[in-house]
Amino acid sequence: MPLVMFAPAIAYAVGLPDVRREIGWVFGLAGLFAAALAPAAGLMVARVGDRRPARGRFLVMAAVSTPPILCLLFFGVLFPECPDGYHC
């Protein structure tokens, strides 16, 4: 998982809350994009080059990076949009 996803939390921890408030979403999108793009691009290159062992590695890479992406999308985007007092 790309470390850029943790940049807003690190900035907040070192005392820069404005970074998290103003441009934290950019770091999150960049991390999600990188986590999704790397396995897909590697799988396409391995498929075009007819490299069977590499295909398996990139499929495992995609399987490992999918749960954190889904958790971040669910808890970072969908869950916070639920208004207070309502159980979505």
Side-chain angles (χ1 to χ4, degrees):
M1 180 183 309
L3 293 177
V4 73
M5 295 175 94
F6 298 109
I10 293 169
Y12 185 74
V14 297
L16 300 169
D18 294 336
V19 172
R20 185 175 184 175
R21 250 184 267 122
E22 293 176 11
I23 60 170
W25 63 274
V26 174
F27 288 109
L29 285 179
L32 288 174
F33 184 71
L37 183 68
L43 186 60
M44 288 177 37
V45 168
R47 198 168 174 88
V48 168
D50 197 32
R51 298 179 180 151
R52 283 194 178 277
R55 271 192 248 168
R57 286 192 297 269
F58 283 110
L59 284 174
V60 169
M61 187 176 168
V64 168
S65 64
T66 299
I69 292 172
L70 292 177
C71 285
L72 284 170
L73 286 175
F74 178 74
F75 291 113
V77 176
L78 300 176
F79 192 64
E81 290 182 1
C82 184
D84 292 336
Y86 293 94
H87 300 289
C88 298

